[in-house]
Amino acid sequence: MSVIRTHLPALDAALTRFNDWWSGRSSRERLMLGVLAALLAGVVLVFGVIKPLQSARAQALSDIRTYETLTARIRAAGTLGAPTTPRRQGPPAEVVSSSATSFGLVAAPEAIPGGVRATVADGTYESLMAWLADLSATSDLRVRRLSIQRRPTAGRISASVDFAQ
């Protein structure tokens, strides 16, 4: 193993000045300066190293507790997805009419090539949209064509809907 020595003139000059200054001190002054340097080193060690490390550790433990609590709450809450609704089974005409009655609509289904056409003579727009959303969520029927007409009575409509499977 070889030791690489570099010669730094500024450092050598500073060490020489310090040695001259230190040699000029009495043994009592050297002892007091040594104790002062040790106390200063201790203060720097405590407030510059130990306290920040303790603070960071306490913060990390607090974060861990917070995230563990959140994880436990999320696990206890269960899944966030919508509950699954039972699928409507049967012929398309029966599915359309049974779903319509649950929304207060009277639908007259008739078979057409590739699906079923439902005619609603009288209903509200909100009921019609809720019925279509329910059919989309609970059956394999999809709206292919929709025709809505305003009725003479305020807030009432009639509609013709073509569903495809």
Side-chain angles (χ1 to χ4, degrees):
M1 172 191 260
S2 65
V3 176
I4 300 174
R5 278 189 79 177
T6 38
H7 182 67
L8 300 173
L11 181 61
D12 289 339
L15 288 175
T16 303
R17 281 195 318 265
F18 176 76
N19 193 24
D20 292 342
W21 177 81
W22 187 256
S23 300
R25 305 290 123 214
S26 68
S27 61
R28 180 174 174 233
E29 288 176 330
R30 287 182 197 165
L31 177 66
M32 289 191 319
L33 287 171
V35 169
L36 179 65
L39 286 174
L40 184 61
V43 167
V44 167
L45 179 68
V46 168
F47 291 105
V49 177
I50 294 173
K51 289 286 187 180
L53 285 176
Q54 285 178 336
S55 175
R57 182 177 183 273
Q59 182 63 41
L61 289 174
S62 174
D63 289 347
I64 289 170
R65 277 193 297 276
T66 299
Y67 292 126
E68 284 178 346
T69 302
L70 288 173
T71 301
R73 286 182 180 176
I74 289 171
R75 285 187 181 148
T79 59
L80 297 178
T84 58
T85 56
R87 304 293 289 174
R88 294 182 188 272
Q89 301 295 324
E94 185 180 311
V95 169
V96 167
S97 60
S98 67
S99 177
T101 56
S102 65
F103 290 94
L105 298 172
V106 178
E110 63 180 85
I112 59 171
V116 65
R117 174 176 292 145
T119 306
V120 177
D122 187 36
T124 64
Y125 180 79
E126 292 80 17
S127 298
L128 180 71
M129 290 299 120
W131 171 54
L132 294 176
D134 177 67
L135 276 176
S136 177
T138 61
S139 72
D140 295 330
L141 298 174
R142 298 293 173 248
V143 175
R144 186 175 5 162
R145 188 183 69 79
L146 173 63
S147 172
I148 302 174
Q149 295 85 28
R150 225 181 322 187
R151 304 278 299 156
T153 310
R156 306 300 286 183
I157 59 165
S158 63
S160 175
V161 185
D162 289 355
F163 294 100
Q165 287 183 316

